[in-house]
Amino acid sequence: MSQLGDLEVLLYLCRRTKRITLNNTRKYMKYAIVLVLAFMVNTSLLYAQSGGGKSSYSRFGVGLLTDQSQTWNKSMGGVGIALPSGSKLNTMNPASYAYVDSLSIIFDVAMSGNFGQMSMGKNKVAVNNASFDYLVAGFRLHKNLGLAFGFRPYSSVDYNYYSSSNEVFRDENTGELVRSWTNYLGTGGLHQCFIGLGWKPFGNLSIGANASVMWGGYDHVVMQEFTQDGTSTADFNGFNFLQHADVLTYKLDLGAQYVFRMTSQDWLTLGATVGIGHHFDGDAYLYRYMSTGDTLKVDNEGGFDIPMTYAGGVAWQHKNNLLVSADAHYQTWADCKVPAMVVTDGVVSYPSTDKMYKNNYLLKAGLEYTPNPLATRGYFNRVKYRFGVSYSSPYMMIPQGESASMRTTEGPSELGLSLGFGFPISNRINARSMVNLGVQWLRRSPSLQNLITENYFIINVGVTFNERWFMKFKIQ
């Protein structure tokens, strides 16, 4: 065998080193992705409440509905109906999965921190917590066919507050003033695991479906205490009860998208989704605790409903650096029932009632701007800058008392502003793995002055891993 020349040896070593380095880099990148995902999920589950922030309004219905967008589009006001899943997943419209890159597998995981204040008149209370938002993944199964799956909350129940009365009445025997203190405590929420398919049957049309298993439950506790001469007394009947529910059902969402090529540098996408509402049973009951020590259990008859939901969206993309989108949603909550306590002539019952909800709509708009996604110099030229705004009309009705048979008033409307950034993880041109950072301001405004106003500052942190695991590199 002839000896290799110096130049041939050098070329051989370069090729071999490049191959080894590339293989090791890909291998270590996969290990790093798994470790980071495991760390984030475990940290979230150990230290965070799943599903959202503390709110007094999560006391009603099935709780506060959680935002179904992801960190990257939360910063765009929560839009997503007309956005495709290319370098990142968009679970708001399953039709978008048809556009997932055939060479990539995508992971997306996120947490958020909520820093808020509840106020009523001159009374103000600070509320802070962290939450695990979602974990989703997706890849292409076949040409024009994409798959996604994951976990995300549907609603959250998380509150703990009390109210006091300066004067209830005077004890006829002692003449002492009797006051009351009522503590309200709630925990729980609904969660969903989903799997979805997106298919492009022809041309620029794509359709898809998300099928979810939904489960969870809640506990609502009310404890009333009377005080006489500054000390607790059991001479009067307190209003103490527990509402408990366990839920297991399904959820089905359908979607479609169509892309129009306007010019060589402009695309317009139209999107629509429909969520299938239905009735389902749940294990729900009410415990009423008497001052005599007796306990009254009342079972629910009637179960729960989830609404029909309709949404439409439009998105305009100019070149590869500007994306503008807007969505409109409508939910038929007024037709839905939920277990609620009813007191009639002193008799307590626990039927399912449709007096706890009303139909509502959501409006969202946002944009994303990237100065130059293919820039060879200047890291911040490849950063994605995002902004959005959203508004939601009330969906819950609030009883003016403990019984659902009493007069009700509309719950709070929501106004949100958001700002965010997508930071490429690597220095490669057109890098797809991102650290998504966003901030939101959210205000819940009640229709009556004697209800609570809530203001929240929310920090969203998510990581999107988009790695070409299915691509085979060959270096000759």
Side-chain angles (χ1 to χ4, degrees), residues 70-81:
Q70 292 152 252
T71 302
W72 64 272
N73 54 343
K74 273 187 173 72
S75 299
M76 300 172 64
V79 295
I81 302 302

Side-chain angles (χ1 to χ4, degrees), residues 94 148 150 192-197 209-214 250-253:
Q192 52 185 335
C193 278
F194 75 93
I195 185 168
L197 291 173
N210 278 337
S212 307
V213 175
M214 185 182 296
Y250 70 91
K251 187 171 180 287
L252 181 63
D253 298 280

Side-chain angles (χ1 to χ4, degrees), residues 396-434:
M396 63 179 65
M397 300 296 292
I398 300 176
Q400 298 299 294
E402 301 302 336
S403 173
S405 60
M406 304 184 70
R407 184 172 63 88
T408 59
T409 186
E410 289 185 355
S413 59
E414 293 187 5
L415 175 64
L417 297 175
S418 56
L419 177 69
F421 309 90
F423 297 102
I425 291 178
S426 74
N427 288 322
R428 298 197 317 267
I429 298 175
N430 201 27
R432 299 186 173 192
S433 294
M434 292 272 176

Side-chain angles (χ1 to χ4, degrees), residues 152-164:
R152 63 168 61 252
Y154 178 78
S155 70
S156 67
V157 177
D158 187 13
Y159 63 91
N160 187 0
Y161 64 97
Y162 71 90
S163 65
S164 62

